[in-house]
Amino acid sequence: MARPRSFDPDHVLHAAERQFRTSGYNGTSVDDISAATGLGRGSLYAAFDGKHGVLLQAMTGYFARLAQGPRKMLAGPDEGALERLHAYLLRAVHGVPLAPDVPPAPDRTAAACFAAKMALEIGASDPEVKRLANDCFSVVRTAVAECVRAAQRNGDIDPDADPDDLAYLLLTIIRGTDVVGAYGHSPDRLTSIAETAFALLPRPRHP
């Protein structure tokens, strides 16, 4: 009879995600994952089918968390939608939080969006990674677009503006903030980017 697992798969995947965020996929070895998670090479292959399997399962778990975060931050009554967009842009200054059961990211690079980092590194050559990354981007874009629509209904954003176009714009700024932050720019600079993006949102034209 097979022995029950003696480890928490979610905790292992969260630790592996942190390692991939820090070192990238190509810069992370199976031994690195083993050291980060406390699992031996044999256990990693048996449970996750090696490094690529760990990555795909870690990205799937990340997507599940990401699907909840933006929706919770951006959903709500029409009144206050503009303020929620503002808060969401400012939150991007600090990156995407790691799972609560692993230590904080050591620097801004490791706090970058996991899906974006993997998409840029290997997404073009890995259809499964590309699909998971697109799913992650889609859930954020959808949540932002819905919040834009709520702000339009409340009279805070130009009703003639395309919510999906604005959502893509804000998503690009948020993910671009990861890149700028990864190259050592200060939180003040990143905050200025977020505030400028917010100020550029089209407001209603009054007669």
Side-chain angles (χ1 to χ4, degrees):
M1 187 170 70
R3 294 187 340 187
R5 287 181 176 177
S6 58
F7 61 89
D8 179 351
D10 287 339
H11 180 70
V12 168
L13 291 171
H14 295 165
E17 174 194 323
R18 184 178 188 270
Q19 184 64 46
F20 284 130
R21 283 209 214 185
T22 301
S23 305
Y25 182 74
N26 293 318
T28 297
S29 67
V30 173
D31 287 337
D32 291 331
I33 299 172
S34 179
T37 63
L39 283 185
R41 291 173 61 95
S43 296
L44 284 169
Y45 277 98
F48 302 106
D49 196 25
K51 175 175 144 179
H52 189 252
V54 173
L55 173 67
L56 294 180
Q57 291 197 43
M59 287 189 70
T60 299
Y62 175 76
F63 172 68
R65 296 201 318 274
L66 190 70
Q68 298 302 315
R71 288 172 181 164
K72 288 181 179 179
M73 283 198 70
L74 293 168
D78 292 356
E79 182 180 357
L82 190 65
E83 288 77 10
R84 293 195 300 275
L85 279 173
H86 188 204
Y88 191 68
L89 281 167
L90 289 175
R91 181 174 178 175
V93 169
H94 305 289
V96 181
L98 294 168
D101 61 340
V102 297
D107 54 40
R108 184 60 179 77
T109 305
C113 173
F114 184 36
K117 189 176 183 73
M118 294 301 101
L120 286 172
E121 185 178 0
I122 60 173
S125 60
D126 191 317
E128 292 174 283
V129 169
K130 182 178 180 180
R131 176 184 60 79
L132 286 166
N134 277 329
D135 287 345
C136 289
F137 300 152
S138 179
V139 75
V140 175
R141 178 190 58 77
T142 299
V144 172
E146 287 303 314
C147 194
V148 169
R149 290 186 179 93
Q152 287 175 312
R153 290 192 296 268
N154 199 57
D156 294 319
I157 289 180
D158 183 354
D160 293 328
D162 187 308
D164 292 313
D165 284 349
L166 290 179
Y168 274 114
L169 174 63
L170 294 179
L171 176 60
T172 301
I173 291 167
I174 290 167
R175 293 286 73 88
T177 301
D178 280 345
V179 177
V180 175
Y183 278 88
H185 290 276
S186 70
D188 287 346
R189 171 57 63 193
L190 303 184
T191 299
S192 176
I193 292 170
E195 294 287 12
T196 301
F198 180 72
L200 290 175
L201 287 173
R203 304 305 167 87
R205 294 184 292 270
H206 298 291

